[in-house]
Amino acid sequence: MRRTLTLVTAFVLAAAACGGGGPAGPGEQAGKAPDKSVQPASKIVFWHSMSGVNGDAVNRMVENFNKSQSKITVEAIFQGAYDDSLSKLNTALASNSAPTIIQVFDIGQRFMIDSGEIVPVQAFVDRDKYDTSDFEPAVINYYRVQNTLYSMPFNSSSSILYYNKEAFKEAGLDPEKPPKTFEEVTDYAKKLTKKDASGQTVRYGFHQSIYGWLFEQYMAVSGALYADNGNGRDARAGKVVFNDAKGKTILDWWKAGVDGGYFWNPGIDNDGSANAFNAGKSAMYVESTARLRGHINATAGKFTIGTGRYPRPANAPADGGNIIGGASVYIMKSRPAEEQQAAWEFVKFIASPPTQSQFQADTGYYPIRKAAYDEGPSKEWAAKYPQFLTAVDQIRQAPQNRATNGAVIGVFAQARQRIQKAIEEVLLGKSSTKDALDTAAADVNAAIDKYNKTTK
Amino acid sequence: MPVRVSPARRALVYLLLALASLAVVFPLLLAFSYSFMSESEIATYPPPLLPRAPTLDNYARVIATIPIGRYLVNSFVVSALVVLGQIITASLAAFAFVFLEFRWKTALFFIFLSTLMVPWEATIIPNYMTIRDLGWLDTYQGLAVPFMATAFGTFLLRQSFLQIPRDLRDAAVIDGAGPLRLLAMVVIPLARPALGTVAVYGFLSTWNQYFWPLLVTNQTLMRTTQIGVVQLRFEETLRWGLLMAGVMMIALPTLALLVLGQRQLVRGLTAGAVKG
Amino acid sequence: MTFPVGRATRRLAIALVFLAPSLVLFAAFVFVPLTRTLYISLFFTTPTGRLAAFAGLEQYVELLTSALFRSGILASTLFALYAVPFGIALALLLAVLANQRLRGINFFRTLMSSTIAVSAAVGSLLFLMLYNPSLGLLNYLLSLLGLRGIAWLQDPGSAVVSLSVTTMWLVLGFNIIVLLAGLQGVPEELYEAAKLDGASGAMLFFRITVPLVSPFLFFLLVVDTIQVLQAFTQIHVLTRGGPVDATRTIVYSLYLDAFQNFQFGFASAQAFVLFLIVLVLTVLQFRYIEPRVHYQ
């Protein structure tokens, strides 16, 4: 037994030694771009989270890049959904097997910056004097923090209102005039809700899933900040501020609709929510612009889909607007200079108008360059899905300010989940909107404190 | 329950059996049905039970979307490796606990049992760091080795070995057989049902793993079936039919194994009865 | 049982050779990681997993005094209370039903134990489909009966039940197989004799079947409890710990803290506490319930 004990102790010490590491260094150790003369590596690895139709689109993009030149081969690997992929990145970084370039979701921005493991795209932009003037402002401003573009936007979407035109006609509403404000949505929803003889609701007027992103969008179109210090963009965010009057208005409206029986509550199941719209269980709903094509395909022959602007409170200021969502790609610092160089070549390809246009046509995401809209695939797409025009107008017309650029906080995933819990509390009647938001803010602030303590 | 039953009673029993079986297997039947339906057919209300225009599109799409063949192969290899490892380690350990006299036998047996009580979640974070440090990410050994020892299997085999008649053991010893020969020539053949049980249970548990392979594999081509299933979910456009087709393709090999192994399983558990 | 070898040390050495493969694997993948978990739990960590500062027992204190921990204990307890006893009872009834000597009985046995071949991920997805409040079959069937649909996953109370039902279904196959084996160990003569004495079906069940199968019932109690307390996939697929943290068991919180919030130190403390809880629970089961088990 004594021998076993010694062995165990040895094991423990060994285990503690490796993988433990010393105290963390300074948070932001952003890398520098390699010198222009460095030859790009012949093979780089690209981690992404796109599956299905979108996965095909990514593979096509990578194939086109590989075929367009003979110096660099990109290997694209699907790594599961965004959160799984990020967990894996953590483990890969610690074992020095990180990919060269990785797609990370929008809200992972602060985490990536603080990791000290990336080479900001800005470094390359500055080195090569790369022209970013043609980039879609709403898109690029999300990923620019304190004038530094840390990553290249990859797939961008926003949120809009989808509605059933036939249901509108049936209820005596103009199918070309979707509701624009909270009050109008409520009004329309009441008219669109249909009950059967026994009082069971056959079709609801409106629904939205309990999804933190939708709340963030509502804050932005209300002209409200999510976090302090300019939404975490002027300086590191110290706390969240979504528990203000504007947050309360959003939840009050949401709750009133559900309680009134004309808003349906699908819970957190986003896919179930989308499916319910397809099946005609409710006449209007809000979700990502990227779902448009899927909806049109699933409802072909059943009903016509209309799209409208994302609803906002009637008294929303003029400077409110939608945020961009989606993901961007980061170049990893731990890889050799040659690979970083090759990654930049791939990034430039990604951002080129023809690639962006093709990507839009394949997936339904926004192109990140305005010039892309002039390319063939985008034009065909616009002709086929005129409903997407709403989405384009929406981001083009959104004023650019801290609120509409979106928040940057290190604990965003946690915050989003905590907001979802707050919404559940409100809808279930377990808490007033004010209390729910206040306790949520308190919890998230505690998390931010913890986060900031270990990343300063 | 007693043997002589009237025809009426027998019919009743069959009816109950049929209803119970149907209730249990219903979700699987539904998945089977949905796998042949198109998206717009599924997204209708009332929810359909049988496809009106069955199509193989979903199956074709699964094959085109994820490398399901590779996933099935990977799962099979890893499961087989685990089973092999478990049979060896558990047989050796159970043999020692039953046929050898040594100090601290009880303490060591308790140590074995205690591993059953350690939740896997309590060790998963350090474990993938270990596998990472060993450079075993994205390898079959990384997927299989942590599971090659089994307290459950050891326990079960111990029970089974305990039932081998003394005279058989003593006869072999008198013939001059060493411990390994005893194990190989006498014990193992007699404990076949229990070994079959350990094998089938080990295979199915490994086949059904989701979280460990998810953590430990980064390369798509090293991934296993359960991850493949979940991969079919993360699409901007939900496709239940596609998902159900994937589910069917992954569940079917295990269902086949179950049919083959079911008799083995019951017999094995009887022989290695947990009677204390 | 004694092997005619010489000294005690030699016997121990030989035994250790046989035990070594298992022990080495257990040490490497169970005990050392457990110790490492304990070690990490004493530190604050950075989001990328590096140790940042010594925390001592601070994270344990924070954990044990947090409301989330208390609700996690409640969620885990409810979950186990719903899923384990009912799952075993249902399996026993079905196993008794399937224990007849009838033609084609193996077909029915296979069908009833088919859930063992379904992984938690797959089973959860199937139930997600069934539980869908507007398109799922369950609510549709209810509506045919003129009843209102149930918010299976949206209401906190129902969510725990729905999760338990899914878990019961997943474990049903295994439970039935084990109990079938147990039932086959009950001698027919006992039933014959009792029937001659005029015993009813219920008496046969409670006086003969249950006591003689109790070793297996106990086995399932221990094993199923451990499995349910460690269940993760069902929660991840169906409820993500909600609604309002109703299904946020300790295991799920552990997942969220480690893999969503990247708080490894804190997650490690949770992991170690979970281990202690399961250990204590199992020991309690052996101490207080096993004595009531009827061994032959």
Side-chain angles (χ1 to χ4, degrees):
Chain A
M1 204 52 148
R2 204 174 301 145
R3 204 200 306 162
T4 327
L5 203 57
T6 326
L7 270 172
V8 171
T9 319
F11 254 124
V12 169
L13 289 177
C18 40
E28 294 178 41
Q29 294 169 322
K32 294 197 162 66
D35 188 74
K36 252 182 150 150
S37 60
V38 172
Q39 283 305 305
S42 56
K43 176 161 180 288
I44 60 173
V45 173
F46 171 37
W47 282 11
H48 66 92
S49 298
M50 316 250 78
S51 64
V53 173
N54 297 343
D56 293 341
V58 167
N59 290 334
R60 187 177 186 173
M61 181 192 286
V62 167
E63 234 176 84
N64 286 344
F65 176 73
N66 291 340
K67 273 194 270 193
S68 74
Q69 43 77 52
S70 53
K71 281 203 280 186
I72 307 166
T73 309
V74 173
E75 183 189 354
I77 303 176
F78 173 65
Q79 291 294 8
Y82 293 128
D83 15 30
D84 293 335
S85 174
L86 206 52
S87 295
K88 243 142 277 155
L89 179 66
N90 257 347
T91 68
L93 282 170
S95 66
N96 215 21
S97 48
T100 323
I101 175 170
I102 178 174
Q103 178 196 29
V104 176
F105 55 5
D106 42 6
I107 60 179
Q109 193 168 206
R110 187 77 242 172
F111 169 83
M112 290 304 278
I113 298 173
D114 288 336
S115 72
E117 299 276 359
I118 61 171
V119 180
V121 166
Q122 191 69 47
F124 289 93
V125 165
D126 290 337
R127 186 196 74 182
D128 293 359
K129 313 249 187 313
Y130 184 74
D131 182 16
T132 59
S133 57
D134 180 52
F135 280 66
E136 197 72 64
V139 170
I140 201 150
N141 286 340
Y142 185 94
Y143 295 104
R144 247 196 208 125
V145 180
Q146 287 173 342
N147 278 322
T148 310
L149 185 67
Y150 285 95
S151 57
M152 178 60 76
F154 188 70
N155 51 309
S156 300
S157 62
S158 190
S159 52
I160 51 173
L161 177 81
Y162 292 94
Y163 66 95
N164 179 338
K165 286 193 177 174
E166 277 74 9
F168 268 41
K169 281 187 234 165
E170 201 190 296
L173 296 162
D174 184 347
E176 303 311 318
K177 280 222 175 74
K180 292 208 194 59
T181 66
F182 284 2
E183 293 72 6
E184 282 176 16
V185 169
T186 299
D187 191 49
Y188 281 48
K190 286 185 185 158
K191 298 201 177 97
L192 288 160
T193 303
K194 217 165 52 165
K195 294 201 165 98
D196 68 7
S198 67
Q200 292 243 41
T201 312
V202 162
R203 183 186 66 211
Y204 286 85
F206 173 77
H207 77 274
Q208 50 196 356
S209 59
I210 299 181
Y211 187 22
W213 185 56
L214 296 177
F215 178 79
E216 292 153 31
Q217 294 283 9
Y218 282 129
M219 289 295 281
V221 299
S222 304
L225 290 177
Y226 194 86
D228 67 355
N229 292 338
N231 244 352
R233 290 175 175 274
D234 295 331
R236 199 183 264 269
K239 60 183 206 296
V240 287
V241 298
F242 52 61
N243 54 330
D244 61 0
K246 301 203 170 147
K248 197 171 166 318
T249 307
I250 297 165
L251 292 194
D252 284 336
W253 163 71
W254 196 326
K255 180 172 170 59
V258 173
D259 285 348
Y262 39 90
F263 282 16
W264 177 54
N265 178 16
I268 57 168
D269 187 0
N270 293 342
D271 291 330
S273 168
N275 229 20
F277 177 71
N278 287 340
K281 287 301 268 183
S282 103
M284 306 187 283
Y285 101 120
V286 286
E287 243 282 6
S288 162
T289 55
R291 287 197 185 251
L292 176 65
R293 182 172 49 174
H295 279 307
I296 293 190
N297 289 344
T299 60
K302 285 198 269 191
F303 60 82
T304 323
I305 295 196
T307 50
R309 297 283 189 97
Y310 198 68
R312 63 185 62 197
N315 59 358
D319 62 355
N322 282 84
I323 318 172
I324 279 298
S328 58
V329 292
Y330 293 79
I331 300 178
M332 303 309 292
K333 190 176 78 171
S334 60
R335 307 305 301 175
E338 292 77 16
E339 288 192 22
Q340 294 174 15
Q341 193 84 306
W344 172 237
E345 293 300 312
F346 180 52
V347 164
K348 283 191 289 187
F349 180 82
I350 291 173
S352 67
T355 310
Q356 280 298 307
S357 172
Q358 186 63 53
F359 193 62
Q360 180 200 16
D362 290 340
T363 61
Y365 285 114
Y366 290 114
I368 64 182
R369 302 281 294 268
K370 293 197 207 135
Y373 287 96
D374 297 326
E375 303 269 340
S378 291
K379 287 201 172 131
E380 281 168 34
W381 210 82
K384 223 171 144 200
Y385 302 109
Q387 297 96 331
F388 194 69
L389 199 55
T390 319
V392 181
D393 287 343
Q394 197 175 260
I395 59 159
R396 287 269 169 88
Q397 290 168 17
Q400 294 300 303
N401 53 53
R402 291 287 182 269
T404 62
N405 287 149
V408 180
I409 54 178
V411 298
F412 220 138
Q414 200 170 348
R416 190 174 272 185
Q417 192 217 357
R418 187 59 188 81
I419 281 281
Q420 281 169 203
K421 180 179 171 187
I423 298 174
E424 285 168 344
E425 284 172 338
V426 165
L427 294 182
L428 287 168
K430 290 190 183 294
S431 180
S432 69
T433 46
K434 181 169 171 0
D435 288 340
L437 285 174
D438 284 340
T439 45
D443 284 348
V444 176
N445 290 342
I448 292 181
D449 284 340
K450 247 197 200 170
Y451 178 89
N452 284 346
K453 237 185 4 187
T454 58
T455 45
K456 276 263 163 56
Chain B
M1 297 300 206
V3 192
R4 279 182 304 281
V5 282
S6 66
R9 173 132 184 213
R10 189 177 302 159
L12 177 66
V13 172
Y14 270 120
L15 180 66
L16 285 174
L17 279 170
L19 284 175
S21 305
L22 185 65
V24 172
V25 102
F26 181 68
L28 282 171
L29 287 178
L30 200 65
F32 188 63
S33 179
Y34 273 34
S35 69
F36 295 106
M37 291 191 212
S38 70
E39 275 329 292
S40 51
E41 194 182 345
I42 294 177
T44 51
Y45 188 82
L49 270 180
L50 290 169
R52 244 172 299 143
T55 163
L56 284 176
D57 274 353
N58 291 323
Y59 286 92
R61 210 83 242 276
V62 169
I63 296 173
T65 309
I66 57 175
I68 189 147
R70 179 76 202 203
Y71 288 167
L72 286 168
V73 165
N74 286 341
S75 280
F76 189 83
V77 169
V78 174
S79 301
L81 282 175
V82 169
V83 165
L84 193 63
Q86 285 191 348
I87 298 271
I88 295 175
T89 61
S91 303
L92 289 173
F95 181 84
F97 285 123
V98 171
F99 294 100
L100 302 179
E101 274 301 310
F102 52 96
R103 250 194 303 183
W104 302 313
K105 188 200 282 200
T106 324
L108 281 166
F109 191 61
F110 179 71
I111 288 178
F112 266 66
L113 282 186
S114 72
T115 64
L116 280 178
M117 296 162 216
V118 175
W120 188 246
E121 285 73 15
T123 56
I124 201 157
I125 298 166
N127 263 354
Y128 80 67
M129 292 210 255
T130 303
I131 296 292
R132 173 201 77 197
D133 288 342
L134 285 169
W136 281 2
L137 291 177
D138 285 318
T139 61
Y140 284 134
Q141 60 267 33
L143 285 165
V145 168
F147 303 93
M148 285 185 174
T150 163
F152 172 75
T154 306
F155 191 22
L156 201 61
L157 287 180
R158 173 189 182 264
Q159 305 300 96
S160 168
F161 290 1
L162 278 173
Q163 291 184 331
I164 295 176
R166 272 203 83 140
D167 6 352
L168 273 176
R169 278 185 256 140
D170 293 347
V173 166
I174 290 169
D175 278 348
L180 275 176
R181 273 200 77 190
L182 177 64
L183 176 63
M185 308 264 92
V186 180
V187 174
I188 298 269
L190 286 173
R192 250 192 307 213
L195 286 167
T197 307
V198 174
V200 172
Y201 185 70
F203 190 92
L204 287 175
S205 323
T206 314
W207 185 274
N208 287 343
Q209 274 181 348
Y210 166 69
F211 201 49
W212 179 250
L214 182 70
L215 279 186
V216 155
T217 57
N218 291 320
Q219 298 273 341
T220 315
L221 286 181
M222 280 309 292
R223 290 233 160 115
T224 56
T225 52
Q226 302 305 328
I227 302 173
V229 169
V230 179
Q231 273 180 2
L232 292 172
R233 257 199 100 196
F234 292 108
E235 297 192 33
E236 286 287 346
T237 60
L238 167 78
R239 298 175 75 145
W240 275 117
L242 177 70
L243 183 57
M244 290 302 123
V247 164
M248 282 289 103
M249 289 173 83
I250 285 162
L252 277 172
T254 47
L255 286 171
L257 186 75
L258 180 71
V259 171
L260 291 172
Q262 204 249 347
R263 243 179 258 203
Q264 255 331 313
L265 217 51
V266 174
R267 211 188 298 155
L269 280 161
T270 315
V274 186
K275 282 184 178 169
Chain C
M1 256 208 288
T2 312
F3 218 88
V5 195
R7 287 161 284 163
T9 334
R10 183 153 176 250
R11 290 209 293 265
L12 178 59
I14 294 180
L16 281 179
V17 169
F18 281 83
L19 296 177
S22 298
L23 281 176
V24 166
L25 286 170
F26 285 147
F29 295 105
V30 179
F31 297 120
V32 165
L34 189 61
T35 319
R36 198 162 166 175
T37 301
L38 184 57
Y39 180 72
I40 296 173
S41 71
L42 301 172
F43 286 84
F44 295 116
T45 53
T46 69
T48 45
R50 299 207 148 59
L51 304 182
F54 187 68
L57 291 177
E58 215 179 295
Q59 293 184 121
Y60 283 96
V61 171
E62 190 192 329
L63 173 68
L64 294 171
T65 55
S66 75
L68 263 180
F69 181 72
R70 282 194 298 277
S71 71
I73 298 265
L74 181 64
S76 297
T77 309
L78 277 179
F79 191 18
L81 276 177
Y82 291 162
V84 177
F86 292 109
I88 297 177
L90 180 64
L92 183 60
L93 287 173
L94 289 178
V96 165
L97 185 63
N99 197 30
Q100 325 272 343
R101 238 188 275 135
L102 290 174
R103 272 245 298 262
I105 194 72
N106 266 318
F107 172 69
F108 291 109
R109 283 189 189 157
T110 309
L111 283 184
M112 285 202 265
S113 45
S114 63
T115 73
I116 195 178
V118 179
S119 70
V122 168
S124 305
L125 287 170
L126 294 176
F127 273 87
L128 183 65
M129 212 169 62
L130 290 172
Y131 286 142
N132 188 305
S134 73
L135 298 180
L137 255 176
L138 291 178
N139 274 357
Y140 176 61
L141 289 174
L142 286 175
S143 74
L144 287 181
L145 295 171
L147 297 167
R148 301 207 61 183
I150 299 178
W152 298 97
L153 300 173
Q154 288 78 32
D155 173 74
S158 334
V160 185
V161 174
S162 307
L163 210 51
S164 303
V165 168
T166 305
T167 306
M168 274 167 56
W169 186 84
L170 285 169
V171 174
L172 192 63
F174 174 68
N175 285 356
I176 288 179
I177 287 174
V178 170
L179 289 175
L180 270 176
L183 284 171
Q184 289 176 351
V186 179
E188 289 268 336
E189 309 86 67
L190 284 175
Y191 289 121
E192 299 284 321
K195 281 193 102 177
L196 283 173
D197 282 345
S200 67
M203 280 181 72
L204 286 174
F205 182 75
F206 285 106
R207 293 284 178 79
I208 299 181
T209 311
V210 173
L212 288 176
V213 165
S214 60
F216 293 87
L217 291 173
F218 179 68
F219 174 71
L220 286 180
L221 176 68
V222 172
V223 171
D224 285 356
T225 305
I226 293 177
Q227 281 198 336
V228 165
L229 288 177
Q230 297 176 33
F232 157 80
T233 313
Q234 300 90 301
I235 303 176
H236 194 54
V237 172
L238 292 171
T239 60
R240 300 251 157 173
V244 205
D245 291 340
T247 58
R248 189 171 164 154
T249 58
I250 304 181
V251 171
Y252 199 70
S253 271
L254 166 58
Y255 168 80
L256 286 176
D257 280 325
F259 302 117
Q260 178 191 269
N261 308 336
F262 297 129
Q263 290 175 21
F264 295 106
F266 190 61
S268 297
Q270 285 184 66
F272 197 73
V273 168
L274 176 63
F275 159 62
L276 290 176
I277 290 176
V278 176
L279 184 61
V280 166
L281 199 62
T282 310
V283 168
L284 287 176
Q285 282 173 327
F286 269 91
R287 187 166 291 192
Y288 292 108
I289 302 183
E290 207 207 3
R292 278 137 158 251
V293 173
H294 177 107
Y295 290 114
Q296 295 218 64

